[in-house]
Amino acid sequence: MPRKPIAVTAMSPAERRRKSDEDKRHRGEVRITAWISADAAAALMVLTEGSTERGAIKAAIEQALVRAAVRVRV
């Protein structure tokens, strides 16, 4: 079975990034870039079991935020 083309026309890296960012915003995702305190960094290392991979950090932050929101709602 032939593969479907990703895009009808070729996109530059900047265009691909812009489209990706638009798609994420459409899904309701938000980009957060910030420095965190040493205590928060230590907590993050505990939550990620020392992994510094982007996926592990993202998952730990998402889980912590959702758990915190549930506690606030109660």
Side-chain angles (χ1 to χ4, degrees):
M1 176 180 221
R3 295 174 70 178
K4 287 176 47 178
I6 293 173
V8 176
T9 59
M11 289 189 277
S12 71
E15 291 171 322
R16 196 168 28 260
R17 176 59 180 244
R18 183 184 49 75
K19 182 172 180 354
S20 174
D21 288 351
E22 286 175 7
D23 291 345
K24 290 175 183 173
R25 276 191 292 276
H26 181 71
R27 291 191 302 263
E29 296 180 22
V30 177
R31 178 182 294 253
I32 299 175
T33 305
W35 287 95
I36 59 175
S37 70
D39 291 340
L44 186 58
M45 285 295 114
V46 170
L47 292 172
T48 61
E49 299 175 350
S51 175
T52 57
E53 292 182 16
R54 182 171 55 179
I57 293 169
K58 179 180 178 251
I61 291 171
E62 287 175 350
Q63 290 174 4
L65 288 170
V66 169
R67 278 184 276 185
V70 168
R71 284 194 305 263
V72 170
R73 283 187 219 151
V74 173

